[in-house]
Amino acid sequence: LLLDLDSSTDTALRILSGLLLESDTVVDVWYLLSLAHHGACQFDDALECIERGVQLIHASCAEDPAAGEQKLAEFAEVKAAVEESAKAMGQDLMEGVDDDKDDDMADA
């Protein structure tokens, strides 16, 4: 999806936000939105998307625990990249991101 948008993060953000208006319970949309925010250097927004995606995974992990673990690992990778990028750019990340979720993602 992001490649089809000609590398335009603004367009990707707009389309993905529109998808959330249709349904905000699709984990993959939150994942792609976190990537788009990361690409736009909107690190706090990326972390919020990651947090929401992780919450959704936990709410539905009983259905397919293996898939839940894989998704948690994917979100953990993006979170690490976001934090590294923010640090490299000298940006402080928002306070209040649930640190307990970090433990959940590390367990994946």
Side-chain angles (χ1 to χ4, degrees):
L1 174 67
L2 296 178
L3 293 175
D4 291 340
L5 297 174
D6 195 26
S7 303
S8 172
T9 55
D10 290 336
T11 303
L13 289 168
R14 191 171 46 255
I15 289 172
L16 292 166
S17 295
L19 290 173
L20 286 180
L21 291 175
E22 293 179 23
S23 175
D24 65 354
T25 60
V26 180
V27 172
D28 290 332
V29 174
W30 288 104
Y31 178 77
L32 291 173
L33 192 56
S34 71
L35 292 175
H37 280 300
H38 181 216
C41 298
Q42 298 169 351
F43 304 124
D44 287 338
D45 292 336
L47 291 175
E48 288 178 23
C49 292
I50 291 166
E51 185 175 343
R52 180 66 177 135
V54 168
Q55 290 170 352
L56 288 171
I57 292 167
H58 287 293
S60 65
C61 68
E63 296 172 18
D64 188 354
E69 289 178 20
Q70 176 62 34
K71 293 287 185 188
L72 287 173
E74 291 170 4
F75 275 103
E77 287 179 27
V78 174
K79 183 174 187 202
V82 168
E83 290 172 343
E84 184 177 324
S85 296
K87 183 178 178 182
M89 295 185 74
Q91 292 187 14
D92 292 327
L93 295 174
M94 69 180 173
E95 297 290 326
V97 172
D98 191 349
D99 290 332
D100 292 339
K101 300 293 186 236
D102 293 343
D103 296 337
D104 294 338
M105 286 192 285
D107 292 341

